Amino acid sequence: MATAESAFGWLGSLLAEELAPSPRRLKTTLRMVVIATVGAALVASTHVQNQLGTYLVWLLVGPVAMTAPRRAAIALVTLGAIIAASVQMAGMLAQAPWLMLAFLFAFGAISTYLNVKLQLAGFGLIIQVVVLNTFYSVVFIPDQFGWQAGALFGGCVIAFGLVTLFDNWLWPDPAEAILPESIAGSAARNRRRFGEAANYYLNEHAGRRPPEPPFTSGMPAQLELLQRAGAEGVTAYRRAVLLAAISREERLHIQIDRLAIAARVEVPRETRMMFRPEIEEVVSAIVAALDELEREILTNVRTGPDRPPSAAGLRARRSLDALDARLVELRPNYINRIGAAELANFAEFTEILHAMVRLIERPLDEPPAEEVAALAASPAAPAQSWTLDPAVARYAFKTGLCVVVGYVIGIMSHKPELATILTTVVITALPTYGAALRKMILRIIGALIGGVISVLAIIIVTPNFATLPSYMIVIFIVLYLSGYASLASGRTAYAGKQIATTFLLVFAELSPAHDVYSPLWRLWGILVATVVVTVVFFVMWPEYAGDSLLPRLRKVLRNALALAPGGAAADSVVKINAANLETMHVLCEILEVAEDARLEGRSSLINHEFLVQAAGTLRRIANRFAGLDALRIASPLPPLDEETQAAREAAFGAIRARLESWLAFYESGQCLERNAAMALEASHTRGEVAQLIESLSERIGANGFVQIASWSLEQRRQILAELESLRRLAFLMRELDEFLARVPGSRAAASGALVLREAESG
C-alpha cells in the first residue's frame, strides 16, 4: 500500500510540474490549436479523402523551426515526386510479394539512414509515413490507392501552405524568444529543488523528504529550441551563449540531484548541526545567485569568464570560504568521534556546494569574438560526412527489419486500420535503448488517452451533433488539451501530442463518426508495433545510449587537443572555427544522449552524469584554447628570451600531455575500468601544471617585468591575459581529471569514490 501511495504521489508531483501553466505556454498552445483547427477545416471542406491529411497538419504545427516559403516549396516538390514514384512502385510490386518485402526493407533502412545523416526530423518522418501508407493501402484498395495517394498529397499542400502562412505572416513564433524563458524556467526549478533539499538536509522536519531525482530535465526541449533557433537564422554567437546557459543549468541540475540523494540518506546529524549557521549562509547565498541567473537569462546574459563575479556570486564564494575556514578550525573537535558514514555524507554535501559555487560565481564562457564573425555565416548544423557510419547503419538495418515484420503482421491480419503498425515502427524505433523505451511508453499512454476521448466523443457527440461548427469546437477543445500537454518536458511531451493524433484520425472528416472500434484497432496496432520493436531493438540487438557517449567524448578530446596552441587547428582561423563549432554540436549530442542513458539505469558501463560534467569542462577548455589561438594569429607577440619561451611551451605542453593521456585512455581497452581511470588521475600531479605556470609568471615578472618593458601596452596586456588564461586552464584541468576519472563504472561507484576521497581529505 505504501508503495502504491508513493507511486501515486510521484505521479501527482510529476503531472503538477509538467502541466504547470504559464503565459507563454497558453499562448503557444493557442497558436498551435488555431492553425491545426483551421487546417482540419480546410482538409474537410476540400474533401481530401485521407485520414492522414489532418495528421500532417498537426505534425507540422508542433514545436519546430519556422517554415520559410522556399523550404515549403522544396518540401512539396520533393513529396510530390516521392508520392508519384511510390504509386508506380506499389502498383508493380503488388504482383510480387517477395520483391515488395525486399523493397520495404530497403526503403525503411535507407530512409532511416538518410533521416539521421541529413537531420530531416519531421520532414523525414512525413516521407516515411506517406510511402509506407501507399504500400500498405495497395493491398486492401488496389483500385483506389492512387486516389488515396493523391488525396494525401493534397493534405501535404494544405499543411505546408497553412503553416508557412502562419509562420511568416499571420502569427510567427521564433524559437529565440521562447528559449530564454525555458532556460529561466529550468533555473527556477533548480532554485526551488535546491532550497527544498538543502533545508531538509539541515532540518528533516522543515518539509517533505526530497523525492528521487527525475530521469529527465528541461534540457531536451531546450536543445530542440536551440536547433530551431539555428535553423531560423540566429547568430552563431547567440547560439553559443544559449548553449552555454543550457549546459550550465544541466550541470546545476545534476549537482542538485546529488544533493537530493545525499539529503535522503539516513545518517547521524551532528556534523551538519555543528556547522548549521555557516551552511545556512551558504545555502542562502546560492539561492540568491540562482535567482540572479534566472533573471539574467531573460535580460542580458553575462559572459566572459575573466570578468569579476556578480555581487551574488561573490557572496556565495565568501560564505563558502567561511564554511571551509570553520571546518578547518573545528576539525580537531570532530574528526575522531564522527562516524565514517556521517562524515562521508557530510563530505558529499559540502563537495556539492563547492561544485555549485564554481558554476555560478563567474559569467559564462563564450567563443572568442574574433571567431564569432566567421561562425555567423556557418549553418545551424555541421556538414555531414558521407562515409558510412556503422552505428547509424546498424540502426537503419534494424528499422528496415521492423518495417518488414510489421508490414507482414498487418497484411496477415487483413485489417486496413493496422497501418498504424508501420507508423509506430518508424516513430518508436530510435537509435538507443533509452530513447526507444521512452518513445514507446509515451506513445502507448497518449494513444490510450486519445482512444478513450475518441470513444467518449463517438458516444456523446455523434448522436447529438451533425454540423461542422460543432465538430470544430470539439476538435478545438481536444487539440488544446493535447497541445498544452505536448509543450511539457521530454518526460511527457510526446504523450500529449499523441492524444490529438489518435483523435484526429477518428474525426478527420469533421463529421459524425460511428466506428467505435477504430481507436481500439489503432491502440492494438501500436501495441503490436511496440512488441516488434522491443524484440528487434531490445532483445535481438540492443544498443545502449551509454555506448554512444564515449565516442563523442573522444571527439571532444580530439578537438580540444587540435585547438591547443601548437595543435592541428591552432594555426588557421578557418580550422579554429570548424573545430570549435563541431565541439559545440557534439556537446549538444552528449547532453541529449545523456538523457537516454539516464533512463536506461544501467550500472555496469559509464556514469553519464560525470561525462556531462567532463564534456562541459572540455568545452570551456576548448574555448580558452580558441581564444589564445585567435590572438596569436591576429596579434603575434615579440619573442621572449629562450628560457622564458621554453617555460611558456612547457606549460602548454603539460596541458596537452594531460589531454593526450586521457584520450589514449578512452581509446584503449581499459576505457570502462573505473580503477584504471582512478589510477590515471592519481598519476597526474595535482600542482604540476600550476607550478609550470607560476614559473612562467615569475620569469615574465622578474625585475619589474623588464623583459616586456619595451612592448606596447596592447602586447603587455595580451601576454598577461594569456597568463590569466593559463591559470584558469590549470584549474579546469584539475576539474577535468576529477570528472573523467569517474566516467567509467556505475553512478553509485563513481559517486562513492568521490565521497570517500572528499571524506579522507577533510
Side-chain angles (χ1 to χ4, degrees), residues 112-182:
T112 299
Y113 189 90
L114 294 177
N115 285 352
V116 174
K117 298 300 288 184
L118 298 179
Q119 300 181 5
L120 298 178
F123 181 62
L125 177 61
I126 290 174
I127 292 174
Q128 291 179 312
V129 168
V130 298
V131 172
L132 293 176
N133 181 75
T134 300
F135 277 83
Y136 193 84
S137 60
V138 70
V139 177
F140 295 98
I141 47 173
D143 56 338
Q144 298 181 26
F145 81 98
W147 292 105
Q148 285 278 336
L152 184 56
F153 180 70
C156 293
V157 172
I158 292 173
F160 277 96
L162 187 66
V163 170
T164 302
L165 187 64
F166 272 86
D167 281 353
N168 293 276
W169 295 287
L170 297 182
W171 196 343
D173 192 30
E176 187 183 9
I178 305 172
L179 182 53
E181 296 181 9
S182 177

Side-chain angles (χ1 to χ4, degrees), residues 679-696:
L680 178 58
E681 182 201 12
S683 71
H684 291 161
T685 305
R686 193 170 181 83
E688 175 190 2
V689 177
Q691 289 171 2
L692 290 171
I693 294 169
E694 289 308 313
S695 174
L696 172 62

Side-chain angles (χ1 to χ4, degrees), residues 593-673:
V593 175
E595 286 297 311
D596 299 332
R598 181 178 298 177
L599 183 65
E600 292 167 5
R602 300 173 73 214
S603 60
S604 60
L605 289 179
I606 64 172
N607 184 327
H608 63 279
E609 294 180 351
F610 279 107
L611 192 145
V612 169
Q613 300 275 24
T617 299
L618 278 168
R619 176 183 172 276
R620 293 154 68 194
I621 291 172
N623 283 339
R624 287 278 173 173
F625 284 157
L628 293 173
D629 294 339
L631 281 174
R632 286 188 174 194
I633 294 172
S635 305
L637 293 174
L640 296 163
D641 66 54
E642 185 175 342
E643 292 183 357
T644 305
Q645 186 63 36
R648 187 185 185 194
E649 294 304 321
F652 284 113
I655 295 174
R656 286 196 301 269
R658 190 158 295 190
L659 290 173
E660 287 168 352
S661 68
W662 281 116
L663 178 60
F665 172 80
Y666 279 107
E667 288 181 337
S668 71
Q670 293 183 309
C671 62
L672 295 177
E673 296 181 13

